[in-house]
Amino acid sequence: MAKASDTLWDLAIAEVEKREKADNNGKRAEVWERSVLFMGNKNGGKTTIILRFLKREEIPKPTLALEYTFGRRARRPDTPKDVAHFWELGGGTLLMELIRIPITCNSIRTFAVVLVLDLSKPNELWTTMEKLLQVTRSHVNKILAKLEKTNSEVATEIKQRMRNSLPRDHPDYELVDPFPIPLVIIGSKYDIFHEFDSEVRKIISKTLRFVSHYYGASLVFTSKSEALLLKAHALINHLAFGYDKSKSVSVDHSKPLFIPAGMDSLSHIGPPPASDSDIAKVCANTPLELWRKVFEKTFPPKSSCDLQDTRDPAQDLQYAEHKVDVMRAQKKQELEQYKRNASKSWKEMAFDSD
């Protein structure tokens, strides 16, 4: 009970201590910290998804390289707020090596990935997905290999947790290859995708269902629609703040998909979208490779050069800074002068003929 002699500062300290007191079991309330990395197609809507999730009224700007922000939420009243660290990889597949910055031995235990794929660009879909997931998986496996030597209990815990993404009695338990850390796949720009031919939508939807199930990932289609964003937010809340995973499922290809991890099956997904004779002609070593080849027959992938953005960020007006730009222009002139002088000296240099 507050005393008359208590100062405002005393009351504030008491309030903080009250919120951090033990719960009914006598344990101190624990603050959780989790990290989520967003990656995917360039201009695929990653920034918009993050800002809307954090309820920030900001105009999305292109992500240049790797950006960071965070959010805080309490699991229940009168408890400390948990912290979620949000990283966003810009540039599509151009800057994949930057994933090593947020995914470390210290963060891996509570790390998750959100892969945002632009449904309006099916010819970029598989290449973007494959490259980003391969690089991420390779890096995570290297970290797990290090942990095997330094902290084997944590490494075993992470591996077992992902194997449990499917119940042991699930008919596909031995047929899938779960991603080493929690993964959510978001198909963005559903409003554009919905205007595609129904057969095209069915091919893309079935393929993403297979990929998500194969990797033990959740899948959701979304757009700027508030109703669809809320479904994506439910999955992000599960990754970032440990909220209960939604149990609702939508697998109708004529509607936005929503399939939490472990809620699908190969029998429900069906075979790759091709005739039996065409499938028989495909040479593939794994189910994933078979689906890739069938998908790319309908949607030939763009070359790596086409997917790279060759624009110079230094020329982008959103990053303009007068003093820096003036100095940069001066250095550029000095460099050109150096090149001319060097070229002149080189031409005038005498060489022995023997």
Side-chain angles (χ1 to χ4, degrees), residues 264-285:
D264 211 342
S265 70
L266 295 177
S267 61
H268 289 153
I269 295 169
S275 66
D276 291 343
S277 59
D278 286 341
I279 291 176
K281 296 175 185 176
V282 177
C283 181
N285 296 317

Side-chain angles (χ1 to χ4, degrees), residues 294-313:
V294 170
F295 183 82
E296 291 183 344
K297 187 175 181 180
T298 305
F299 305 106
K302 287 191 173 183
S303 68
S304 300
C305 294
D306 292 334
L307 294 177
Q308 291 184 4
D309 189 351
T310 56
R311 291 176 297 176
D312 183 358

